[in-house]
Amino acid sequence: MESPRFSIGVDYGTNSCRAVLVDASNGRELAASVFPYPSGKDGILLDPKDPNVARQEPADYIAGFFFTVKSVVAAGKKIRGFSPERVVGMGVDTTGSTPIPVNREGVALAMLPKFKKDMAAKAWLWKDHTAHAEASRITKVARKAKVPYLSKCGMAYSSEWFWSKIWHCQKTAPAVFKAAWSWVECCDFVTGYITGNSDPLSMKRSICAAGHKAMFHEGWGGLPGKAFLRKLSPALADLRDRLYSTAYASDEIAGNLVADIAKKVGLPAGIPVAVGALDAHYGAVGSGVKPGTLVKILGTSTCDLMVVPNKEKLEDIPGVCGIVPGSVVPGMVGIEAGQSAVGDIFKWYVDYLCPSGFSKGNPHANLNAAALKLKPGQSGLLALDWNNGNRNILMDPLLTGLLVGMTLHTTAPEIYRALVEATAFGALTIIRRIEEHGVKVREVINCGGIAEKSPLVMQIYADILNRPMKIAGSSQTCALGGAIFGSIVGGVYRNVEEAQQKMVRLKPKVYKPIKANVKTYARLYPLYRQLHDAFGTSGYSGMLANVMKELIAIRGGACR
Amino acid sequence: MESPRFSIGVDYGTNSCRAVLVDASNGRELAASVFPYPSGKDGILLDPKDPNVARQEPADYIAGFFFTVKSVVAAGKKIRGFSPERVVGMGVDTTGSTPIPVNREGVALAMLPKFKKDMAAKAWLWKDHTAHAEASRITKVARKAKVPYLSKCGMAYSSEWFWSKIWHCQKTAPAVFKAAWSWVECCDFVTGYITGNSDPLSMKRSICAAGHKAMFHEGWGGLPGKAFLRKLSPALADLRDRLYSTAYASDEIAGNLVADIAKKVGLPAGIPVAVGALDAHYGAVGSGVKPGTLVKILGTSTCDLMVVPNKEKLEDIPGVCGIVPGSVVPGMVGIEAGQSAVGDIFKWYVDYLCPSGFSKGNPHANLNAAALKLKPGQSGLLALDWNNGNRNILMDPLLTGLLVGMTLHTTAPEIYRALVEATAFGALTIIRRIEEHGVKVREVINCGGIAEKSPLVMQIYADILNRPMKIAGSSQTCALGGAIFGSIVGGVYRNVEEAQQKMVRLKPKVYKPIKANVKTYARLYPLYRQLHDAFGTSGYSGMLANVMKELIAIRGGACR
């Protein structure tokens, strides 16, 4: 019998990071540790004057690495067969696009005394929407210049991405921009730090983070050309030389754990660390993504991920933001779409608006239980899921939430349910768009806390998407994905498919569509789509006078 | 010196009734008593399966009369100069259209053992919206038949009114309809009862209640003709003969207080009782309505009332529901408009949705205080005030609430403020429509609890209507109106104008428009109007893609 081998995945989410120690032979999670970021509100640095601002403290990432990895190694020591020497590899994923300004040595400016208090020097968290004007401008200039740079991101650039944020920094915080020798995505920042290679030019950057978010594509020679960048700003063109010309998939080794860090966490030096990636992409791998399978990562926002083998011809999909070779599974084209806010909308409702009658104990659970008793359509409510803008298929951060159908008897569970339904209608809109472009969604696997904890959300998704909702076996699919790539770079498996066969499973519980509910939601979805198109597109010029009437008619039918 | 004379006004609201004892020489309120209706939720009989249902227990009205009038007479006895013999008259107002099915003797069916538990035998409270299908049908048939019956009610009949409700009863509760020898408006029911004349044929019916709500107009011979009613239903045509052919203004005596009732409340028999009217109309008189003055009665719903001297030519005003000679002030044409829900919307938010952080003590006061600190536009929110349909200018009960602009940071006070603003935008929409038809609004006087208690609401109304908001001096303007008509039928004054000069005053506090706020709201109103027309009219076919964007732009400006 072989001696056991172990792998560690480290996953940096929006509010906390976690590490898991995994048995590389079967994917079993032997130990886990969570570190909530200590800075800001729930780990996010906010500006009370501008809801678009969302930054993070880079030092929190480093503190989180030490805390969580040290914890799981210590916990591992109590497990039979484990020893630190048997850890074969490690993989790190983070949120993104979360660019960080760094100096020539790759040190985050925020960690230097001079910029300690400067919000622009922090990590620009994925959900920071301050750069919406720059994003529109990039879209406009790219379309006019007829360059191909937007073809892989739905023909619209986002305020959540690399170039928008950096350009916004140049405009609004020139001192920070000037001091930034380069900019590094969060996942590269962490792998660079732990492998002792933070040099902006020589570190191995992630293709997954570079992909559409920095408009990197081998087809056009990597990052966008200087001529194009100069049209945005000469300073951005200058920056191009201080970024990167190659990007790597996560089956490559980014580097090896350096001695002083290894020592601090109780591991031997030299453990190979996979090239980093974005959390959702590792999560898809940890959930069992494969051709025909859509993995939905249900978190504060959602990420929808699919893969298409390189050999199949994949057309560009308008309004779907990331089509990047190797971003999820090496050798396949990754499709990434998603919704800017899902769990965040439920959390907002609970944190800001939950009535006292539901706020005792666990408000989410209370609202879930009450909403689960309602029938589809019974409330007469319909919502749009745009409280944080719309990532796909409209790609417009300057959109907001909407709720229609309230009477004098509308209750909190009804509103909560309408918000859940809105996110499901948003999810359906993405699936329909992907299928319209030839990629069939044959299976849906969900992962993330919501998928495990909320029968309400899962049943509504099953009914609205009209497909069985399967749930990933692991509660930490992103971290598990990290461990999978750790086991690949550690030589346990040759590729993702081989590793998934051993390390990934589904939960036994499957939520199946309920016929009557599917029928009601099939009547509600066209109304959602009407609001979606009326408020979200400039092409719509129909009427809306039917909306309230039809909701009332559906309500009447549901109550009978 | 003359010996003092007194008058009593009795006002039946949506959730309670009250009586006031007034010094007829100066309008001073010497005693007041309130009686919350004991039946149902807050006095209203609801159906959990149908939010449109709103009924009341007729016995509550009678119990309320005894309790409140007895109380004020008893309290009066402690006042120097008062004696029951010096009460010269009495006036009663109620909600409406609140029709009650009665037997041949005028006894409410709900008070007979056979119908005690039958919801259809109860009083059909003004805000009962079950008859929306019948209302649409009446509108359609009347328009097609080219009869003039809708010309005084904005060319659309309402589900809140007499014929819709009776017809709905015929269709859905035929046993009740058959047992009902006649139908009586609530205000006539009460005056009939206390004057001992409940005979449906001989009792003196109120022109104010008959007016547009039963499509009564002397110009076309009273109630709608049988030929027209037969087109709706032969049974309604038959009913016409069992209703009335004359209706009276409130400067007429309906009858005299009968001995057994007088004895129970401690008054002498024979006191003259004015012909009844709807609460808002008495409230307008008690607030000081006169040509050029709009009285806004801010309660659960609002009523907007104006008067135009008979000699001035007044054109029909589409979407404005009541244009009735003598309905408010004898000798003048009354204009009645209003919003289906105002205070009810704030109450709904507090009762159903108020977050725990604001629910301690007085939630309305907590939300008011927090909302008062916000600047116009700062929340980025915009709402429609249609949670209970739209009475004017759309006259459509099948409309519902809408809220747009939510982010992940939207708070309860922001929503509360947006709801208040929505009701003000609704109020502005009515004023604009009235002015477009030649009736200038030179002064706005507000009355009702909200006007007195909420600086938030009053300041927002001042800013959105861009006019000073004055407040009626009395807290019980409807009951004061009753006392005014009581003093007229009691011979103290010859007419309303003379009585108002002595009995009506304003509060010293006036809310003046604040320039900067007026400017911001002038930017928000077109967006409200866009939503209003898009969701509320079938004529709209513009786009809405600008709405969220402009709200964000206004929010940006407000935060600066």
Side-chain angles (χ1 to χ4, degrees):
Chain A
M1 206 182 128
E2 254 184 272
S3 52
R5 288 182 286 182
F6 302 89
S7 175
I8 292 175
V10 192
D11 163 49
Y12 288 83
T14 299
N15 309 108
S16 61
C17 68
R18 78 219 68 242
V20 296
L21 175 68
V22 167
D23 182 333
S25 71
N26 57 18
R28 259 182 58 211
E29 291 156 29
L30 305 173
S33 168
V34 177
F35 178 80
Y37 304 133
S39 308
K41 181 170 161 56
D42 296 326
I44 305 173
L45 308 172
L46 302 172
D47 179 347
K49 284 189 196 144
D50 183 356
N52 287 317
V53 172
R55 308 278 158 85
Q56 275 182 335
E57 192 58 72
D60 288 358
Y61 304 141
I62 291 167
F65 182 85
F66 286 122
F67 179 86
T68 59
V69 177
K70 192 177 167 181
S71 300
V72 297
V73 172
K77 288 187 182 159
K78 292 172 197 154
I79 292 162
R80 211 159 64 112
F82 176 84
S83 83
E85 287 68 30
R86 289 182 175 163
V87 174
V88 296
M90 197 180 261
V92 175
D93 67 83
T94 70
T95 67
S97 170
T98 302
I100 303 170
V102 298
N103 67 10
R104 179 63 192 89
E105 289 71 40
V107 177
L109 295 186
M111 296 171 74
L112 305 176
K114 188 176 171 192
F115 293 104
K116 224 177 153 54
K117 292 193 171 165
D118 197 322
M119 282 285 274
K122 308 293 182 186
W124 292 56
L125 187 62
W126 65 273
K127 68 174 168 176
D128 187 291
H129 284 160
T130 46
H132 50 78
E134 289 78 9
S136 311
R137 186 77 196 138
I138 291 171
T139 300
K140 201 173 280 177
V141 172
R143 287 184 187 171
K144 204 181 154 201
K146 297 205 193 328
V147 288
Y149 306 141
L150 297 181
S151 59
K152 306 303 172 189
C153 59
M155 288 312 289
Y157 200 70
S158 165
S159 62
E160 293 185 359
W161 298 341
F162 194 74
W163 293 107
S164 303
K165 284 170 170 168
I166 296 174
W167 193 11
H168 189 71
C169 177
Q170 190 214 332
K171 284 191 192 168
T172 59
V176 169
F177 181 81
K178 213 180 147 201
W181 194 83
S182 186
W183 289 72
V184 176
E185 278 287 348
C186 186
C187 65
D188 298 327
F189 176 76
V190 177
T191 53
Y193 183 83
I194 63 176
T195 59
N197 181 14
S198 294
D199 183 289
L201 290 183
S202 65
M203 68 193 306
K204 274 195 179 169
R205 309 258 193 165
S206 159
I207 179 67
C208 172
H212 65 282
K213 292 191 170 74
M215 294 187 277
F216 182 98
H217 197 280
E218 288 196 349
W220 53 73
L223 291 169
K226 277 195 180 184
F228 170 74
L229 292 173
R230 201 169 295 120
K231 283 184 193 174
L232 305 177
S233 156
L236 292 182
D238 289 349
L239 175 62
R240 190 183 191 277
D241 291 335
R242 309 193 304 272
L243 294 169
Y244 52 94
S245 51
T246 318
Y248 300 87
S250 292
D251 56 351
E252 300 255 359
I253 298 174
N256 300 80
L257 199 62
V258 283
D260 57 332
I261 291 173
K263 196 175 163 195
K264 278 194 194 166
V265 297
L267 288 173
I271 290 175
V273 177
V275 167
L278 302 190
D279 44 9
H281 299 63
Y282 271 15
V285 169
S287 300
V289 75
K290 60 181 180 291
T293 297
L294 172 75
V295 172
K296 286 189 73 65
I297 306 189
L298 290 165
T300 53
S301 65
T302 68
C303 229
D304 295 344
L305 286 140
M306 297 191 75
V307 290
V308 176
N310 277 352
K311 59 178 191 272
E312 286 177 25
K313 201 179 144 51
L314 175 62
E315 58 185 282
D316 295 335
I317 307 175
V320 167
C321 52
I323 297 182
V324 178
S327 64
V328 184
V329 175
M332 300 194 190
V333 178
I335 301 177
E336 181 197 347
Q339 293 165 267
S340 319
V342 174
D344 262 355
I345 294 182
F346 316 150
K347 185 168 155 46
W348 158 71
Y349 192 73
V350 163
D351 288 354
Y352 286 79
L353 301 176
C354 182
S356 46
F358 296 91
S359 63
K360 282 178 200 91
N362 182 339
H364 277 287
N366 300 339
L367 286 169
N368 261 271
L372 205 47
K373 288 185 193 143
L374 301 168
K375 290 184 204 158
Q378 180 182 341
S379 69
L381 296 176
L382 183 62
L384 286 175
D385 50 322
W386 300 347
N387 291 47
N388 196 27
N390 177 297
R391 194 184 300 153
N392 303 115
I393 56 173
L394 299 172
M395 313 189 79
D396 186 347
L398 291 184
L399 295 173
T400 50
L402 183 145
L403 182 67
V404 61
M406 294 83 92
T407 69
L408 295 172
H409 305 279
T410 298
T411 65
E414 289 177 336
I415 294 174
Y416 191 80
R417 188 179 173 107
L419 295 173
V420 172
E421 290 168 346
T423 65
F425 289 135
L428 178 59
T429 306
I430 292 171
I431 288 181
R432 289 165 67 113
R433 176 58 59 90
I434 292 174
E435 291 207 320
E436 282 160 16
H437 290 268
V439 182
K440 281 279 161 258
V441 177
R442 293 197 187 85
E443 180 185 39
V444 179
I445 299 174
N446 298 275
C447 68
I450 294 171
E452 294 181 14
K453 282 184 235 156
S454 178
L456 173 76
V457 174
M458 282 298 94
Q459 188 58 52
I460 289 173
Y461 276 54
D463 294 337
I464 290 181
L465 304 186
N466 196 12
R467 289 168 167 87
M469 289 297 115
K470 300 179 182 175
I471 300 171
S474 166
S475 300
Q476 302 294 349
T477 50
C478 302
L480 176 60
I484 287 173
F485 282 108
S487 68
I488 294 170
V489 295
V492 183
Y493 302 106
R494 277 174 306 175
N495 58 41
V496 167
E497 199 188 348
E498 206 179 281
Q500 281 178 325
Q501 270 167 17
K502 299 282 189 181
M503 295 177 75
V504 171
R505 62 190 56 78
L506 293 177
K507 287 209 166 40
K509 171 77 184 166
V510 174
Y511 291 87
K512 291 187 186 127
I514 296 168
K515 231 178 190 175
N517 297 356
V518 171
K519 217 171 140 183
T520 303
Y521 285 130
R523 291 177 69 192
L524 284 166
Y525 181 68
L527 299 176
Y528 172 89
R529 199 55 202 257
Q530 234 183 311
L531 296 178
H532 176 282
D533 292 352
F535 285 92
T537 73
S538 53
Y540 185 86
S541 72
M543 54 164 239
L544 289 167
N546 64 309
V547 174
M548 292 176 180
K549 306 270 187 283
E550 288 187 37
L551 287 173
I552 290 170
I554 292 169
R555 181 182 76 195
C559 290
R560 236 167 264 138
Chain B
M1 204 181 131
E2 253 184 274
S3 51
R5 287 181 288 183
F6 301 90
S7 176
I8 292 175
V10 191
D11 163 48
Y12 289 81
T14 299
N15 309 106
S16 61
C17 68
R18 77 218 71 240
V20 296
L21 174 68
V22 167
D23 182 331
S25 72
N26 58 18
R28 258 184 56 213
E29 291 156 29
L30 305 172
S33 169
V34 177
F35 177 79
Y37 306 133
S39 307
K41 183 170 160 55
D42 296 328
I44 305 173
L45 308 172
L46 302 173
D47 179 347
K49 283 188 196 145
D50 183 356
N52 288 317
V53 171
R55 307 279 156 84
Q56 275 182 335
E57 193 57 75
D60 288 357
Y61 303 141
I62 291 168
F65 182 83
F66 286 124
F67 179 87
T68 58
V69 177
K70 191 177 168 182
S71 300
V72 297
V73 172
K77 286 182 182 160
K78 292 174 196 152
I79 292 162
R80 212 160 65 111
F82 175 84
S83 83
E85 288 67 30
R86 287 183 175 160
V87 175
V88 297
M90 198 180 261
V92 176
D93 67 82
T94 70
T95 67
S97 171
T98 302
I100 303 171
V102 298
N103 67 9
R104 178 63 192 90
E105 289 72 39
V107 177
L109 296 187
M111 296 171 76
L112 305 175
K114 189 176 170 189
F115 294 103
K116 225 178 150 53
K117 292 193 172 166
D118 197 322
M119 282 285 274
K122 308 293 182 186
W124 293 55
L125 187 62
W126 65 272
K127 66 173 168 176
D128 187 291
H129 284 161
T130 46
H132 50 80
E134 290 78 8
S136 309
R137 185 80 196 134
I138 292 172
T139 299
K140 201 174 279 180
V141 172
R143 287 184 188 172
K144 201 180 156 200
K146 296 205 192 329
V147 289
Y149 306 142
L150 297 181
S151 59
K152 305 303 173 191
C153 59
M155 289 312 289
Y157 200 70
S158 167
S159 64
E160 293 185 358
W161 299 342
F162 194 74
W163 292 107
S164 304
K165 284 170 170 168
I166 295 174
W167 193 11
H168 189 72
C169 176
Q170 191 214 333
K171 286 191 194 168
T172 57
V176 169
F177 182 81
K178 212 177 147 202
W181 193 84
S182 187
W183 289 72
V184 176
E185 276 288 347
C186 186
C187 65
D188 297 328
F189 175 79
V190 177
T191 53
Y193 183 86
I194 64 176
T195 60
N197 181 13
S198 294
D199 183 289
L201 290 183
S202 65
M203 69 194 304
K204 275 195 178 166
R205 308 259 194 163
S206 159
I207 178 68
C208 173
H212 65 281
K213 292 190 170 74
M215 293 188 275
F216 182 98
H217 197 280
E218 289 195 349
W220 54 74
L223 291 169
K226 276 194 180 186
F228 169 74
L229 292 173
R230 202 170 294 119
K231 284 185 192 173
L232 306 178
S233 157
L236 291 183
D238 290 351
L239 176 63
R240 189 183 192 275
D241 291 335
R242 309 194 305 273
L243 293 169
Y244 52 94
S245 52
T246 319
Y248 301 87
S250 293
D251 55 351
E252 300 254 358
I253 297 174
N256 300 81
L257 198 63
V258 284
D260 59 332
I261 290 171
K263 197 175 161 192
K264 277 194 194 165
V265 297
L267 287 173
I271 291 173
V273 178
V275 166
L278 302 191
D279 46 7
H281 299 64
Y282 271 18
V285 169
S287 300
V289 74
K290 60 182 181 290
T293 297
L294 171 75
V295 172
K296 285 189 74 64
I297 306 189
L298 289 166
T300 52
S301 65
T302 67
C303 229
D304 295 344
L305 286 140
M306 298 191 75
V307 290
V308 176
N310 277 352
K311 60 177 192 273
E312 286 176 26
K313 201 178 146 46
L314 175 61
E315 58 184 280
D316 295 335
I317 306 175
V320 167
C321 51
I323 297 182
V324 179
S327 63
V328 183
V329 175
M332 299 194 191
V333 178
I335 300 177
E336 180 197 346
Q339 293 165 268
S340 318
V342 173
D344 262 354
I345 294 182
F346 315 149
K347 185 169 155 44
W348 158 70
Y349 192 74
V350 163
D351 288 355
Y352 286 78
L353 301 176
C354 181
S356 47
F358 296 92
S359 63
K360 280 177 204 93
N362 182 339
H364 276 290
N366 301 340
L367 286 169
N368 261 270
L372 204 47
K373 287 183 196 148
L374 301 168
K375 289 184 206 159
Q378 180 182 342
S379 69
L381 295 176
L382 184 62
L384 287 174
D385 51 320
W386 299 348
N387 292 47
N388 196 27
N390 177 298
R391 194 185 298 153
N392 303 115
I393 57 173
L394 299 173
M395 312 189 80
D396 186 347
L398 292 184
L399 295 173
T400 51
L402 182 144
L403 181 66
V404 62
M406 295 83 92
T407 68
L408 295 172
H409 306 279
T410 298
T411 65
E414 289 177 336
I415 294 175
Y416 191 80
R417 188 178 174 109
L419 295 173
V420 172
E421 291 168 344
T423 66
F425 288 135
L428 177 59
T429 305
I430 291 171
I431 290 180
R432 290 165 66 113
R433 175 60 58 91
I434 292 174
E435 291 207 321
E436 281 160 14
H437 290 268
V439 181
K440 280 278 160 265
V441 176
R442 294 198 184 83
E443 180 184 39
V444 179
I445 299 174
N446 297 275
C447 68
I450 294 171
E452 294 181 15
K453 281 184 236 155
S454 178
L456 173 76
V457 174
M458 282 298 93
Q459 189 58 53
I460 288 174
Y461 276 54
D463 293 337
I464 289 181
L465 304 185
N466 195 13
R467 289 168 168 87
M469 289 297 114
K470 299 178 182 176
I471 300 171
S474 167
S475 301
Q476 302 294 350
T477 51
C478 301
L480 177 59
I484 287 173
F485 282 108
S487 69
I488 294 170
V489 295
V492 182
Y493 302 107
R494 280 174 304 176
N495 57 43
V496 168
E497 199 188 347
E498 206 178 282
Q500 280 178 326
Q501 270 168 15
K502 298 281 189 183
M503 293 176 77
V504 172
R505 62 190 56 77
L506 293 177
K507 286 208 166 39
K509 171 78 185 167
V510 174
Y511 291 86
K512 290 183 187 132
I514 296 168
K515 232 176 190 176
N517 297 356
V518 170
K519 218 171 139 183
T520 303
Y521 285 130
R523 290 178 70 193
L524 283 166
Y525 181 69
L527 299 177
Y528 172 89
R529 199 54 201 260
Q530 234 184 311
L531 296 177
H532 176 282
D533 292 353
F535 284 92
T537 73
S538 53
Y540 184 87
S541 72
M543 55 162 238
L544 290 166
N546 63 311
V547 174
M548 292 175 180
K549 306 269 187 283
E550 288 188 36
L551 287 172
I552 290 170
I554 292 168
R555 179 182 79 195
C559 290
R560 236 168 264 139

